[in-house]
């Protein structure tokens, strides 16, 4: 199954998030709004309850050809015939989970450092959840907050691992405090030179929304759209690239012809302007 990681919904069934709605109702609405992947997460429910809920969610996901992933519980993934499992750093070893679930299962791993990312890739993880990006009440055991810079650092490490060791591209999603207000900033500013995020994982941004379908639609639009803070059009960006490529030839010609340069500057940029003048 081809997996679209762009908008990954992680469930939260607590009354604080759901209110008087059912988990299945909210997830169905989110799927209709464009969620591309669903992870069923419940740290407190009994196995029988989790299995029944997972079966109900699986039916909704199957109607839209969306994978259902179970958080932590390999046994529930097996019992519900889910598409895979997501593992934290203190959960089952990914290699063991692979032996139990089989080669077709989707196995994701949460990572918060370059070391954890390398180990997860070497263990055969199908995707990585990088976080926690921002502080969030839905993840009380977060060891550290990475911020966007921390996500970018891990992506940079992964790009090296992919080029020099694993030989395969491992999809990544950012998780932790991602919402409508910051999703474009996370997607755009976290990208490393050779690797970018494949999507984001959201919890309360959809699960707690008054209209989960509309929230999912809005997130999908923002993820696929061009950030408003990038003012230049693609055409202008290409013009800037072409101009940059001409700089060495322009400087070389200036050095050969020795034109009179009138250098106007101020105290803020005087060193930069002086270096430019010297280069010419």
């Amino acid at each position: 199954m081809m997996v679209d990681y762009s908008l990954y919904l992680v469930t939260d069934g607590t009354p604080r998030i759901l209110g008087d709605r059912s988990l299945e109702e909210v997830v169905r609405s989110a799927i209709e709004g464009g969620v591309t992947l669903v992870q069923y997460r419940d740290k407190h429910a009994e196995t029988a309850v989790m299995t029944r809920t997972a079966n109900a969610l699986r039916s909704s996901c199957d109607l839209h050809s969306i994978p259902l992933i179970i958080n932590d519980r390999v046994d529930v993934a097996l019992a519900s015939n889910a598409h895979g499992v997501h593992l934290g750093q203190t959960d089952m070893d990914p290699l063991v989970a692979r032996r139990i679930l089989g080669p077709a299962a989707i196995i994701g791993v949460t990572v918060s450092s370059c070391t954890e990312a390398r180990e997860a890739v070497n263990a055969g993880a199908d995707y990585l959840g990088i976080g926690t990006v921002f502080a969030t009440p839905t993840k009380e055991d977060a060891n550290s907050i990475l911020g966007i810079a921390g996500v970018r650092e891990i992506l940079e490490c992964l790009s090296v691992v992919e080029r020099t060791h694993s030989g395969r591209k491992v999809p990544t999603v950012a998780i932790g405090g991602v919402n409508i207000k910051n999703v474009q900033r996370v997607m755009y500013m976290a990208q490393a030179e050779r690797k970018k995020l494949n999507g984001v994982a959201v919890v309360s941004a959809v699960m707690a929304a008054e209209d989960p379908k509309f929230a999912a639609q809005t997130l999908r639009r923002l993820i696929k759209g061009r950030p408003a803070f990038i003012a230049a059009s693609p055409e202008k960006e290409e013009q800037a690239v072409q101009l940059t490529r001409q700089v060495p030839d322009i400087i070389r010609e200036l050095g050969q012809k020795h034109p009179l340069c009138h250098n106007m500057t101020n105290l803020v940029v005087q060193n930069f302007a002086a270096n430019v003048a010297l280069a010419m």
Side-chain angles (χ1 to χ4, degrees):
M1 173 184 285
M2 292 294 294
V3 182
D4 180 353
Y5 291 94
S6 59
L7 184 53
Y8 188 165
L9 176 65
V10 181
T11 69
D12 185 337
T14 59
R16 178 178 60 84
I17 294 293
L18 288 180
D20 59 357
R21 305 169 299 176
S22 72
L23 182 68
E24 293 85 350
E25 171 192 351
V26 174
V27 171
R28 279 197 302 270
S29 180
I31 291 174
E32 291 172 359
V35 162
T36 60
L37 192 65
V38 174
Q39 180 188 139
Y40 172 39
R41 182 178 185 269
D42 193 326
K43 295 293 187 181
H44 306 291
E46 296 181 353
T47 301
V49 174
M50 283 196 70
T51 302
R52 286 197 297 271
T53 303
N55 281 323
L57 295 178
R58 172 70 192 261
S59 297
S60 297
C61 289
D62 284 349
L63 286 175
H64 295 81
S65 300
I66 292 174
L68 173 66
I69 307 297
I70 307 299
N71 179 274
D72 181 15
R73 298 291 299 274
V74 175
D75 57 336
V76 175
L78 276 172
S80 62
N81 197 29
H83 295 89
V85 67
H86 185 87
L87 304 170
Q89 289 297 310
T90 60
D91 296 331
M92 183 181 292
D93 186 290
L95 293 171
V96 177
R98 177 70 68 195
R99 288 201 297 269
I100 295 172
L101 295 174
I106 301 169
I107 296 181
V109 178
T110 298
V111 300
S112 58
S113 69
C114 289
T115 299
E116 291 176 353
R118 282 192 295 267
E119 291 175 350
V121 171
N122 292 335
D126 294 296
Y127 75 89
L128 302 181
I130 304 177
T132 301
V133 184
F134 305 115
T136 166
T138 63
K139 192 68 173 176
E140 297 175 355
D141 60 341
N143 293 322
S144 62
I145 304 302
L146 294 174
I148 293 177
V151 175
R152 185 167 57 248
E153 181 181 348
I154 292 175
L155 289 174
E156 192 64 57
C157 292
L158 283 170
S159 71
V160 176
V161 172
E162 290 174 346
R163 293 198 314 273
T164 59
H165 299 292
S166 71
R168 65 187 180 98
K169 302 293 184 181
V170 180
T172 57
V173 296
I175 184 169
V178 181
N179 54 45
I180 288 172
K181 293 181 179 179
N182 60 30
V183 63
Q184 288 190 316
R185 184 158 51 94
V186 171
M187 289 293 295
Y188 183 79
M189 297 180 67
Q191 60 184 327
E193 184 178 354
R194 293 183 176 87
K195 188 173 181 64
K196 61 183 179 179
L197 291 166
N198 295 85
V200 294
V202 296
V203 188
S204 57
V206 172
M207 296 298 300
E210 184 176 342
D211 186 342
K213 179 178 179 179
F214 179 74
Q217 289 173 333
T218 303
L219 283 163
R220 276 297 295 271
R221 175 176 55 80
L222 291 171
I223 290 169
K224 291 181 174 295
R226 185 179 182 81
F229 52 80
I230 304 178
S233 65
E235 293 77 14
K236 289 184 178 179
E237 285 186 352
E238 180 60 28
Q239 291 174 5
V241 170
Q242 294 297 332
L243 181 60
T244 302
R245 289 173 179 167
Q246 296 175 35
V247 168
D249 292 335
I250 293 173
I251 292 177
R252 190 179 303 109
E253 188 172 353
L254 285 169
Q256 293 171 349
K257 295 185 177 180
H258 303 290
L260 176 64
C261 295
H262 184 188
N263 185 16
M264 298 183 66
T265 185
N266 57 45
L267 293 176
V268 177
V269 297
Q270 62 183 3
N271 288 337
F272 174 76
N275 286 331
V276 171
L278 289 171
M280 294 190 297

